[in-house]
Amino acid sequence: METRRGSIEAIKEIVRLGNRISVDEMAKISDMALALDGSITSVDPDGDWCGTGRIRFKWPPKKNEEFIKLLDHLVRSRINHEVLINGIPVPDHIIINVSRQIGQRLGR
């Protein structure tokens, strides 16, 4: 059963998960990125932004359905993500920053 967004149960689950993305979760994200011809370009397991990662894909994503599945996985896993399209007005790649930082912006 899914918890209602904003409910005390949802908040307890987020706090239980903590600020880190686990090694197993990051491995799953990496596998999904590799299946899309993407790659994890950075992971910060110990620093100020512990449990964060950056994923890079060429523009445009070749497997749109799989790209949407990756984003859905991040949402279901309660992993914050920021999708940045680089090269506007002529995009050349997408970067997704992933984190569980509560109350902080990514990339700062």
XYZ file of all heavy atoms in Angstrom:
857
model
N 0.840 -1.173 0.000
C 0.000 0.000 0.000
C 0.888 1.239 0.000
O 1.832 1.347 0.757
C -0.888 -0.031 1.241
C -1.798 1.163 1.339
S -2.973 0.956 2.687
C -2.213 2.014 3.890
N 0.551 2.177 -0.888
C 1.334 3.394 -0.956
C 0.879 4.380 0.111
O -0.291 4.441 0.447
C 1.183 4.021 -2.335
C 1.830 3.172 -3.399
C 2.242 3.995 -4.591
O 2.310 5.234 -4.476
O 2.485 3.392 -5.626
N 1.850 5.118 0.622
C 1.515 6.128 1.621
C 1.048 7.389 0.924
O 1.513 7.714 -0.172
C 2.734 6.447 2.509
O 3.816 6.840 1.668
C 3.143 5.254 3.334
N 0.125 8.082 1.557
C -0.405 9.318 0.999
C 0.664 10.390 1.071
O 1.330 10.567 2.092
C -1.650 9.747 1.771
C -2.352 10.954 1.184
C -3.650 11.268 1.909
N -3.495 11.432 3.336
C -3.093 12.555 3.946
N -2.806 13.608 3.231
N -2.982 12.617 5.253
N 0.848 11.093 -0.009
C 1.860 12.145 -0.085
C 1.605 13.196 0.993
O 0.495 13.660 1.173
C 1.785 12.776 -1.466
C 2.913 13.668 -1.751
C 2.853 14.136 -3.156
N 3.926 15.057 -3.340
C 4.322 15.504 -4.490
N 3.728 15.123 -5.571
N 5.320 16.338 -4.571
N 2.654 13.553 1.737
C 2.556 14.558 2.781
C 2.043 14.022 4.106
O 1.973 14.753 5.081
N 1.701 12.729 4.147
C 1.200 12.151 5.391
C 2.353 11.905 6.359
O 3.519 11.884 5.978
C 0.472 10.827 5.110
O 1.409 9.851 4.682
N 2.026 11.703 7.608
C 3.051 11.422 8.614
C 3.789 10.137 8.268
O 4.998 10.027 8.472
C 2.453 11.393 10.049
C 3.568 11.381 11.095
C 1.540 10.206 10.242
C 4.333 12.645 11.198
N 3.096 9.162 7.675
C 3.746 7.915 7.274
C 4.795 8.169 6.190
O 5.883 7.599 6.219
C 2.718 6.890 6.776
C 1.784 6.372 7.848
C 0.607 7.320 8.109
O 0.332 8.206 7.282
O -0.012 7.171 9.177
N 4.459 9.029 5.223
C 5.405 9.360 4.157
C 6.625 10.080 4.726
O 7.764 9.796 4.347
C 4.720 10.208 3.091
N 6.398 10.990 5.651
C 7.502 11.729 6.269
C 8.393 10.776 7.062
O 9.621 10.847 6.982
C 6.960 12.867 7.154
C 6.275 13.909 6.267
C 8.071 13.498 7.992
C 5.454 14.922 7.006
N 7.788 9.848 7.808
C 8.572 8.861 8.559
C 9.430 8.020 7.621
O 10.586 7.719 7.926
C 7.647 7.947 9.364
C 7.064 8.589 10.601
C 6.140 7.613 11.317
C 5.488 8.238 12.521
N 4.540 7.332 13.177
N 8.874 7.635 6.464
C 9.626 6.824 5.506
C 10.808 7.606 4.945
O 11.909 7.078 4.828
C 8.707 6.361 4.372
C 9.390 5.561 3.300
C 9.937 4.219 3.744
O 9.654 3.777 4.879
O 10.675 3.600 2.960
N 10.616 8.868 4.634
C 11.708 9.690 4.102
C 12.815 9.833 5.138
O 13.997 9.688 4.826
C 11.172 11.070 3.665
C 10.304 10.910 2.418
C 12.306 12.046 3.402
C 9.494 12.131 2.061
N 12.441 10.096 6.382
C 13.440 10.230 7.445
C 14.150 8.896 7.671
O 15.367 8.852 7.861
C 12.790 10.764 8.740
C 13.762 10.701 9.898
C 12.305 12.194 8.523
N 13.416 7.781 7.604
C 14.020 6.457 7.775
C 15.073 6.202 6.700
O 16.139 5.651 6.965
C 12.944 5.363 7.714
C 13.517 3.958 7.952
C 12.512 2.862 7.625
N 12.216 2.750 6.207
C 13.027 2.192 5.299
N 14.209 1.718 5.647
N 12.675 2.125 4.043
N 14.784 6.621 5.482
C 15.732 6.416 4.389
C 17.002 7.237 4.585
O 18.060 6.862 4.110
C 15.082 6.776 3.050
C 13.984 5.836 2.573
C 13.264 6.436 1.368
C 14.520 4.464 2.255
N 16.894 8.356 5.281
C 18.061 9.188 5.547
C 18.464 9.997 4.336
O 17.756 10.089 3.338
N 19.640 10.601 4.418
C 20.130 11.477 3.353
C 20.930 10.744 2.288
O 21.343 11.358 1.328
C 21.015 12.578 3.956
C 20.194 13.664 4.590
O 19.009 13.786 4.323
N 20.822 14.450 5.431
N 21.165 9.470 2.477
C 22.033 8.764 1.543
C 21.262 7.885 0.574
O 20.243 7.318 0.924
C 23.002 7.869 2.306
C 23.989 8.645 3.091
C 24.958 7.727 3.745
N 26.173 8.491 3.958
C 27.351 7.963 4.046
N 27.506 6.677 3.975
N 28.404 8.713 4.227
N 21.801 7.779 -0.604
C 21.347 6.773 -1.551
C 22.278 5.595 -1.325
O 23.499 5.741 -1.384
C 21.446 7.271 -2.998
C 20.570 8.506 -3.191
C 21.038 6.167 -3.967
C 20.738 9.171 -4.540
N 21.724 4.443 -1.038
C 22.564 3.290 -0.712
C 23.351 2.813 -1.937
O 23.033 3.146 -3.081
C 21.705 2.142 -0.177
O 20.970 1.554 -1.233
N 24.364 2.016 -1.683
C 25.185 1.446 -2.748
C 24.309 0.604 -3.681
O 24.423 0.698 -4.911
C 26.338 0.604 -2.166
C 27.065 -0.157 -3.263
C 27.290 1.484 -1.382
N 23.410 -0.199 -3.113
C 22.522 -1.026 -3.938
C 21.612 -0.168 -4.814
O 21.394 -0.487 -5.990
C 21.665 -1.954 -3.064
C 22.486 -3.041 -2.405
O 23.611 -3.334 -2.886
O 22.011 -3.608 -1.396
N 21.092 0.924 -4.235
C 20.234 1.815 -5.023
C 21.030 2.480 -6.144
O 20.550 2.583 -7.279
C 19.619 2.899 -4.134
C 18.554 2.391 -3.201
C 18.080 3.454 -2.232
O 18.917 4.118 -1.591
O 16.854 3.612 -2.140
N 22.251 2.926 -5.837
C 23.071 3.572 -6.853
C 23.451 2.577 -7.956
O 23.498 2.926 -9.131
C 24.317 4.189 -6.224
C 25.015 5.194 -7.114
S 24.012 6.618 -7.603
C 24.227 7.681 -6.199
N 23.682 1.320 -7.581
C 23.985 0.282 -8.579
C 22.795 0.075 -9.511
O 22.969 -0.077 -10.732
C 24.366 -1.020 -7.892
N 21.588 0.056 -8.964
C 20.373 -0.102 -9.779
C 20.230 1.073 -10.742
O 19.941 0.893 -11.929
C 19.148 -0.208 -8.857
C 17.823 -0.142 -9.534
C 17.487 -1.436 -10.206
C 16.039 -1.363 -10.709
N 15.724 -2.417 -11.617
N 20.461 2.292 -10.236
C 20.388 3.482 -11.086
C 21.447 3.400 -12.189
O 21.186 3.701 -13.351
C 20.566 4.766 -10.248
C 19.375 4.938 -9.301
C 20.730 5.990 -11.140
C 19.596 5.991 -8.229
N 22.650 2.962 -11.840
C 23.733 2.818 -12.808
C 23.371 1.812 -13.889
O 23.586 2.059 -15.083
C 25.019 2.390 -12.099
O 26.050 2.210 -13.031
N 22.804 0.673 -13.495
C 22.383 -0.340 -14.472
C 21.348 0.220 -15.436
O 21.410 -0.027 -16.647
C 21.816 -1.578 -13.770
C 22.880 -2.394 -13.045
O 24.085 -2.189 -13.330
O 22.503 -3.218 -12.192
N 20.399 0.980 -14.895
C 19.365 1.571 -15.746
C 19.972 2.603 -16.698
O 19.596 2.677 -17.869
C 18.266 2.209 -14.883
C 17.478 1.195 -14.078
S 16.250 1.955 -13.004
C 14.868 2.035 -14.155
N 20.942 3.386 -16.206
C 21.602 4.383 -17.052
C 22.407 3.708 -18.162
O 22.349 4.132 -19.322
C 22.509 5.272 -16.205
N 23.135 2.651 -17.817
C 23.927 1.935 -18.824
C 23.047 1.334 -19.908
O 23.421 1.314 -21.086
C 24.769 0.840 -18.158
C 25.943 1.335 -17.317
C 26.571 0.184 -16.551
C 26.973 2.039 -18.194
N 21.864 0.852 -19.542
C 20.923 0.294 -20.517
C 20.442 1.363 -21.499
O 19.984 1.043 -22.590
C 19.737 -0.349 -19.803
N 20.564 2.628 -21.101
C 20.161 3.752 -21.956
C 21.358 4.418 -22.624
O 21.251 5.543 -23.116
C 19.424 4.796 -21.107
C 18.062 4.391 -20.587
C 17.608 5.311 -19.467
C 17.066 4.428 -21.731
N 22.511 3.752 -22.618
C 23.753 4.312 -23.144
C 24.192 5.562 -22.389
O 24.850 6.429 -22.933
C 23.644 4.623 -24.649
C 23.404 3.377 -25.470
O 23.938 2.307 -25.090
O 22.674 3.455 -26.482
N 23.794 5.638 -21.117
C 24.224 6.727 -20.253
C 25.297 6.232 -19.312
O 25.710 5.067 -19.376
N 25.753 7.110 -18.448
C 26.762 6.698 -17.476
C 26.668 7.570 -16.238
O 26.219 8.713 -16.297
C 28.163 6.817 -18.080
O 28.430 8.164 -18.409
N 27.087 7.007 -15.118
C 27.215 7.794 -13.906
C 28.582 8.457 -13.990
O 29.604 7.787 -14.132
C 27.074 6.928 -12.649
C 25.629 6.467 -12.532
C 27.513 7.689 -11.416
C 25.235 5.863 -11.229
N 28.584 9.784 -13.954
C 29.845 10.511 -14.107
C 30.453 10.908 -12.780
O 31.628 11.244 -12.729
C 29.656 11.767 -14.983
O 28.685 12.613 -14.370
C 29.215 11.387 -16.377
N 29.649 10.884 -11.712
C 30.221 11.164 -10.392
C 29.321 10.595 -9.311
O 28.111 10.517 -9.463
C 30.413 12.668 -10.171
O 29.173 13.326 -10.106
N 29.960 10.163 -8.248
C 29.268 9.677 -7.059
C 30.046 10.213 -5.870
O 31.270 10.180 -5.869
C 29.227 8.130 -7.003
C 28.581 7.658 -5.717
C 28.495 7.559 -8.201
N 29.334 10.728 -4.879
C 29.992 11.272 -3.694
C 29.514 10.492 -2.476
O 28.544 10.871 -1.835
C 29.673 12.755 -3.543
C 30.435 13.415 -2.401
O 31.215 12.717 -1.726
O 30.239 14.614 -2.182
N 30.177 9.371 -2.150
C 29.716 8.546 -1.033
C 30.110 9.078 0.343
O 29.487 8.738 1.328
C 30.389 7.207 -1.292
C 31.623 7.556 -2.045
C 31.291 8.777 -2.855
N 31.137 9.934 0.420
C 31.665 10.322 1.737
C 31.662 11.820 2.021
O 31.813 12.228 3.153
C 33.125 9.864 1.884
C 33.259 8.376 1.738
O 32.319 7.672 2.122
O 34.283 7.933 1.219
N 31.563 12.644 1.010
C 31.764 14.076 1.204
C 30.547 14.812 1.737
O 29.614 14.224 2.285
N 30.585 16.118 1.539
C 29.499 16.971 2.022
C 28.161 16.601 1.406
O 27.120 16.826 1.993
C 29.797 18.446 1.697
C 31.003 18.957 2.451
O 31.351 18.344 3.480
O 31.591 19.949 2.013
N 28.198 16.088 0.205
C 26.971 15.704 -0.498
C 26.863 14.186 -0.562
O 26.520 13.616 -1.587
C 26.975 16.302 -1.902
C 26.721 17.754 -1.847
C 27.655 18.751 -1.777
C 25.457 18.391 -1.797
N 27.041 19.963 -1.692
C 25.701 19.772 -1.704
C 24.150 17.934 -1.818
C 24.664 20.700 -1.633
C 23.130 18.860 -1.753
C 23.388 20.218 -1.666
N 27.146 13.526 0.555
C 27.182 12.066 0.575
C 25.885 11.476 0.036
O 24.802 11.981 0.267
C 27.462 11.538 1.974
S 26.278 12.036 3.201
N 26.036 10.405 -0.710
C 24.893 9.716 -1.266
C 24.291 10.424 -2.458
O 23.107 10.327 -2.713
N 25.121 11.131 -3.223
C 24.628 11.812 -4.415
C 25.302 11.248 -5.649
O 26.339 10.598 -5.568
C 24.898 13.330 -4.359
O 26.308 13.539 -4.392
C 24.307 13.947 -3.115
N 24.726 11.511 -6.784
C 25.323 11.062 -8.033
C 24.916 11.960 -9.180
O 23.992 12.759 -9.068
N 25.630 11.830 -10.273
C 25.335 12.580 -11.490
C 25.369 11.593 -12.654
O 26.321 10.843 -12.814
C 26.355 13.681 -11.691
C 26.119 14.469 -12.959
C 26.990 15.680 -13.014
N 26.423 16.626 -12.055
C 27.035 17.717 -11.657
N 28.229 18.001 -12.093
N 26.453 18.535 -10.812
N 24.297 11.618 -13.453
C 24.158 10.706 -14.585
C 24.143 11.547 -15.856
O 23.504 12.593 -15.902
C 22.844 9.909 -14.490
C 22.695 9.283 -13.111
C 22.768 8.851 -15.574
C 21.290 8.809 -12.806
N 24.813 11.063 -16.889
C 24.888 11.808 -18.152
C 24.378 10.941 -19.298
O 24.703 9.763 -19.379
C 26.329 12.214 -18.430
C 26.486 13.089 -19.649
C 27.945 13.547 -19.753
N 28.080 14.632 -20.671
C 28.397 14.479 -21.949
N 28.597 13.281 -22.447
N 28.504 15.529 -22.734
N 23.544 11.563 -20.156
C 23.010 10.899 -21.349
C 23.211 11.812 -22.551
O 23.123 13.034 -22.427
C 21.495 10.657 -21.221
C 21.111 9.788 -20.079
C 20.739 10.347 -18.872
C 21.110 8.418 -20.202
C 20.372 9.558 -17.804
C 20.749 7.619 -19.141
C 20.379 8.184 -17.942
N 23.411 11.207 -23.723
C 23.445 11.996 -24.948
C 22.027 12.459 -25.267
O 21.053 11.810 -24.918
C 23.976 11.158 -26.110
C 25.437 10.832 -25.983
C 25.910 10.011 -27.143
C 27.356 9.633 -26.933
N 27.836 8.719 -27.960
N 21.924 13.603 -25.917
C 20.636 14.139 -26.356
C 20.411 13.731 -27.799
O 21.349 13.755 -28.580
C 20.635 15.658 -26.242
C 19.380 16.257 -26.756
C 19.134 16.699 -28.025
C 18.179 16.465 -26.016
N 17.870 17.168 -28.113
C 17.251 17.035 -26.901
C 17.795 16.212 -24.711
C 15.973 17.372 -26.514
C 16.516 16.558 -24.325
C 15.621 17.129 -25.221
N 19.237 13.376 -28.193
C 18.065 13.088 -27.367
C 18.148 11.662 -26.844
O 18.842 10.831 -27.442
C 16.896 13.242 -28.350
C 17.468 12.852 -29.675
C 18.927 13.284 -29.632
N 17.449 11.361 -25.742
C 17.474 9.979 -25.243
C 16.904 9.057 -26.322
O 15.868 9.350 -26.898
C 16.571 10.003 -24.014
C 16.209 11.417 -23.766
C 16.618 12.223 -24.945
N 17.620 7.966 -26.620
C 17.209 7.086 -27.714
C 16.042 6.180 -27.340
O 15.266 5.785 -28.188
C 18.394 6.251 -28.174
C 19.426 7.114 -28.826
C 20.550 6.321 -29.389
C 21.417 7.287 -30.121
N 22.693 7.136 -30.346
N 15.941 5.837 -26.083
C 14.904 4.905 -25.635
C 13.983 5.655 -24.672
O 14.102 5.532 -23.467
C 15.535 3.698 -24.953
C 16.542 2.971 -25.824
C 17.261 1.912 -25.030
C 18.362 1.278 -25.858
N 19.166 0.359 -25.082
N 13.056 6.424 -25.230
C 12.216 7.283 -24.392
C 11.477 6.522 -23.301
O 11.388 6.985 -22.176
C 11.220 8.070 -25.249
C 11.873 9.247 -25.930
O 12.858 9.784 -25.441
N 11.339 9.634 -27.066
N 10.924 5.355 -23.636
C 10.183 4.581 -22.628
C 11.087 4.190 -21.466
O 10.688 4.260 -20.303
C 9.564 3.331 -23.249
C 8.335 3.613 -24.077
C 7.719 2.333 -24.605
O 7.818 1.278 -23.928
O 7.128 2.396 -25.689
N 12.312 3.772 -21.763
C 13.252 3.378 -20.717
C 13.709 4.598 -19.904
O 13.922 4.488 -18.701
C 14.459 2.660 -21.316
C 14.115 1.340 -21.979
C 13.492 0.348 -21.009
O 14.004 0.195 -19.882
O 12.474 -0.263 -21.370
N 13.853 5.737 -20.561
C 14.226 6.964 -19.855
C 13.129 7.345 -18.863
O 13.411 7.690 -17.714
C 14.469 8.091 -20.867
C 15.026 9.345 -20.246
C 16.349 9.397 -19.840
C 14.224 10.456 -20.066
C 16.870 10.546 -19.263
C 14.735 11.606 -19.486
C 16.060 11.654 -19.100
N 11.871 7.241 -19.294
C 10.740 7.523 -18.402
C 10.719 6.522 -17.253
O 10.437 6.890 -16.106
C 9.408 7.505 -19.186
C 9.386 8.592 -20.249
C 8.213 7.632 -18.251
C 9.538 10.003 -19.743
N 11.045 5.249 -17.518
C 11.097 4.239 -16.444
C 12.152 4.608 -15.406
O 11.952 4.405 -14.213
C 11.379 2.847 -17.016
C 10.190 2.215 -17.680
C 10.545 0.829 -18.180
C 9.396 0.229 -18.951
N 9.727 -1.100 -19.490
N 13.295 5.140 -15.856
C 14.332 5.577 -14.923
C 13.804 6.702 -14.039
O 13.965 6.666 -12.812
C 15.581 6.040 -15.682
C 16.653 6.737 -14.839
C 17.232 5.797 -13.784
C 17.745 7.296 -15.709
N 13.160 7.693 -14.637
C 12.607 8.795 -13.846
C 11.532 8.297 -12.888
O 11.488 8.709 -11.725
C 12.046 9.880 -14.770
C 13.064 10.590 -15.669
C 12.367 11.594 -16.571
C 14.164 11.234 -14.872
N 10.680 7.377 -13.354
C 9.651 6.789 -12.478
C 10.295 6.046 -11.310
O 9.814 6.123 -10.185
C 8.747 5.834 -13.261
C 7.759 6.548 -14.163
O 7.539 7.758 -13.969
O 7.209 5.881 -15.071
N 11.388 5.325 -11.585
C 12.102 4.605 -10.523
C 12.618 5.585 -9.460
O 12.506 5.319 -8.259
C 13.258 3.798 -11.111
C 14.140 3.188 -10.086
N 13.774 2.091 -9.346
C 15.363 3.555 -9.630
C 14.743 1.795 -8.493
N 15.719 2.675 -8.648
N 13.170 6.710 -9.900
C 13.672 7.707 -8.957
C 12.542 8.249 -8.086
O 12.704 8.396 -6.873
C 14.369 8.846 -9.701
C 15.636 8.464 -10.463
C 16.127 9.638 -11.303
C 16.719 7.968 -9.528
N 11.392 8.502 -8.695
C 10.249 9.012 -7.933
C 9.775 7.964 -6.930
O 9.575 8.252 -5.748
C 9.100 9.424 -8.886
C 7.824 9.708 -8.112
C 9.506 10.635 -9.717
N 9.598 6.722 -7.381
C 9.125 5.647 -6.489
C 10.106 5.383 -5.351
O 9.704 5.010 -4.253
C 8.895 4.356 -7.272
C 7.593 4.309 -8.024
C 7.284 2.922 -8.565
N 8.414 2.252 -9.176
C 8.816 2.406 -10.436
N 8.189 3.232 -11.231
N 9.854 1.745 -10.901
N 11.389 5.581 -5.613
C 12.421 5.332 -4.605
C 12.641 6.529 -3.692
O 13.538 6.507 -2.851
C 13.748 4.974 -5.286
O 13.602 3.831 -6.074
N 11.860 7.555 -3.890
C 11.973 8.795 -3.109
C 13.383 9.397 -3.196
O 13.969 9.813 -2.204
C 11.562 8.564 -1.662
C 10.089 8.250 -1.516
C 9.704 8.119 -0.069
N 8.267 8.086 0.096
C 7.554 6.972 0.176
N 8.132 5.801 0.084
N 6.249 7.034 0.330
N 13.899 9.400 -4.409
C 15.209 9.995 -4.667
C 14.978 11.308 -5.405
O 14.331 11.338 -6.451
C 16.100 9.045 -5.496
C 16.410 7.790 -4.678
C 17.369 9.747 -5.958
C 17.142 6.709 -5.440
N 15.473 12.386 -4.821
C 15.362 13.691 -5.471
C 16.182 13.666 -6.749
O 17.273 13.087 -6.786
C 15.895 14.800 -4.564
C 15.140 14.893 -3.265
O 13.957 14.602 -3.201
N 15.836 15.280 -2.220
N 15.686 14.303 -7.783
C 16.450 14.378 -9.021
C 16.176 15.703 -9.718
O 15.112 16.282 -9.600
C 16.153 13.196 -9.942
C 14.701 13.021 -10.255
N 13.812 12.470 -9.358
C 13.983 13.347 -11.337
C 12.611 12.455 -9.891
N 12.678 12.988 -11.088
N 17.201 16.153 -10.386
C 17.161 17.410 -11.109
C 17.629 17.103 -12.528
O 18.742 16.609 -12.724
C 18.136 18.361 -10.410
C 17.992 19.791 -10.742
C 18.939 20.608 -9.864
O 20.154 20.318 -9.826
O 18.454 21.527 -9.213
N 16.760 17.339 -13.503
C 17.083 17.053 -14.901
C 17.528 18.351 -15.562
O 16.778 19.328 -15.590
C 15.866 16.460 -15.647
C 16.207 16.188 -17.104
C 15.379 15.188 -14.961
N 18.747 18.358 -16.077
C 19.311 19.537 -16.731
C 19.627 19.191 -18.177
O 20.332 18.214 -18.441
C 20.593 19.977 -16.020
C 20.478 20.190 -14.514
C 21.854 20.341 -13.897
C 19.618 21.398 -14.228
N 19.118 19.976 -19.096
C 19.428 19.776 -20.511
C 20.496 20.786 -20.869
O 20.269 21.999 -20.802
C 18.175 19.941 -21.384
C 17.123 18.916 -20.966
C 18.534 19.793 -22.861
C 15.781 19.085 -21.622
N 21.685 20.310 -21.220
C 22.816 21.188 -21.529
C 22.902 21.433 -23.032
O 22.660 20.540 -23.828
C 24.128 20.580 -21.037
C 24.246 20.658 -19.537
O 23.496 21.355 -18.873
N 25.200 19.937 -18.995
N 23.268 22.649 -23.373
C 23.471 22.998 -24.766
C 22.307 23.748 -25.383
O 22.185 23.796 -26.601
N 21.448 24.337 -24.567
C 20.301 25.073 -25.109
C 20.842 26.323 -25.812
O 21.696 27.000 -25.252
C 19.321 25.427 -23.975
C 18.700 24.142 -23.446
C 18.259 26.411 -24.423
C 17.799 24.301 -22.249
N 20.450 26.668 -27.000
C 19.270 26.205 -27.729
C 19.491 24.952 -28.567
O 18.551 24.450 -29.167
C 18.925 27.386 -28.627
C 20.248 28.000 -28.947
C 21.079 27.802 -27.703
N 20.726 24.442 -28.623
C 20.981 23.212 -29.368
C 21.471 22.164 -28.370
O 22.667 22.042 -28.117
C 22.042 23.435 -30.480
C 22.256 22.161 -31.271
C 21.637 24.584 -31.386
N 20.550 21.397 -27.765
C 20.929 20.429 -26.730
C 21.907 19.379 -27.243
O 21.818 18.946 -28.388
C 19.602 19.778 -26.343
C 18.545 20.700 -26.835
C 19.116 21.391 -28.021
N 22.861 18.999 -26.375
C 23.762 17.907 -26.734
C 23.788 16.799 -25.689
O 24.148 15.679 -26.004
C 25.169 18.420 -27.029
C 25.825 19.102 -25.846
O 25.178 19.260 -24.799
O 27.001 19.474 -25.966
N 23.406 17.101 -24.443
C 23.315 16.031 -23.451
C 22.424 16.435 -22.280
O 22.087 17.599 -22.111
C 24.698 15.572 -22.968
C 25.460 16.602 -22.203
N 26.224 17.574 -22.795
C 25.580 16.814 -20.872
C 26.793 18.331 -21.876
N 26.404 17.896 -20.699
N 22.031 15.422 -21.529
C 21.178 15.587 -20.355
C 21.983 15.160 -19.145
O 22.689 14.150 -19.194
C 19.919 14.696 -20.436
C 19.087 15.045 -21.654
C 19.095 14.789 -19.160
C 17.978 14.046 -21.915
N 21.878 15.918 -18.078
C 22.495 15.524 -16.808
C 21.371 15.382 -15.793
O 20.482 16.230 -15.717
C 23.501 16.581 -16.331
C 24.618 16.683 -17.340
C 23.943 16.315 -14.918
C 25.995 16.811 -16.842
N 21.403 14.306 -15.030
C 20.451 14.136 -13.931
C 21.253 14.052 -12.646
O 22.091 13.165 -12.490
C 19.605 12.856 -14.096
C 18.835 12.865 -15.414
C 18.634 12.717 -12.915
C 18.048 11.594 -15.669
N 21.026 15.005 -11.757
C 21.623 14.971 -10.422
C 20.655 14.223 -9.519
O 19.459 14.524 -9.521
C 21.836 16.382 -9.882
C 22.897 17.131 -10.644
O 23.915 16.569 -11.012
N 22.663 18.396 -10.910
N 21.153 13.250 -8.772
C 20.303 12.481 -7.860
C 20.819 12.626 -6.436
O 22.023 12.671 -6.196
C 20.221 10.985 -8.259
C 19.543 10.822 -9.598
C 21.580 10.323 -8.275
N 19.879 12.714 -5.491
C 20.236 12.920 -4.097
C 19.034 12.621 -3.222
O 17.909 12.599 -3.683
C 20.666 14.373 -3.899
O 20.811 14.663 -2.540
N 19.289 12.445 -1.943
C 18.209 12.372 -0.968
C 18.314 13.522 0.022
O 17.753 13.477 1.080
C 18.263 11.054 -0.188
C 17.524 9.957 -0.870
C 16.806 9.073 0.126
N 16.072 8.062 -0.585
C 16.502 6.838 -0.820
N 17.663 6.450 -0.367
N 15.775 6.000 -1.506
N 19.063 14.537 -0.306
C 19.218 15.679 0.586
C 17.858 16.289 0.859
O 17.150 16.674 -0.059
C 20.153 16.723 -0.012
C 21.560 16.219 -0.239
C 22.254 15.842 1.052
O 22.101 16.504 2.054
N 23.008 14.776 1.015
N 17.485 16.367 2.116
C 16.207 16.916 2.518
C 16.397 18.400 2.796
O 17.226 18.785 3.611
C 15.658 16.206 3.757
C 15.442 14.733 3.443
C 14.368 16.853 4.239
C 15.112 13.887 4.652
N 15.641 19.240 2.087
C 15.673 20.665 2.359
C 16.865 21.390 1.766
O 17.124 22.525 2.139
N 17.607 20.756 0.864
C 18.739 21.425 0.231
C 18.611 21.265 -1.267
O 18.131 20.269 -1.762
C 20.065 20.804 0.673
C 20.357 20.996 2.130
C 21.696 20.364 2.492
O 22.408 19.867 1.650
N 22.032 20.394 3.754
N 19.062 22.281 -1.991
C 19.048 22.197 -3.438
C 20.223 21.367 -3.915
O 21.291 21.374 -3.326
C 19.166 23.597 -4.044
C 17.885 24.370 -3.845
C 17.871 25.563 -4.693
N 18.095 25.175 -6.060
C 18.262 26.029 -7.033
N 18.229 27.300 -6.806
N 18.485 25.631 -8.270
N 20.028 20.666 -5.015
C 21.103 19.869 -5.606
C 22.092 20.775 -6.322
O 21.739 21.838 -6.800
C 20.518 18.879 -6.599
C 19.556 17.850 -6.017
C 18.907 17.075 -7.142
C 20.282 16.914 -5.096
N 23.317 20.322 -6.412
C 24.316 21.021 -7.201
C 24.930 22.236 -6.530
O 25.634 22.987 -7.153
N 24.670 22.442 -5.283
C 25.249 23.600 -4.577
C 26.329 23.152 -3.646
O 26.366 22.143 -3.113
C 24.181 24.325 -3.792
C 23.161 24.917 -4.729
C 22.850 26.317 -4.290
N 21.838 26.823 -5.173
C 21.986 27.931 -5.834
N 23.062 28.621 -5.741
N 21.039 28.368 -6.612
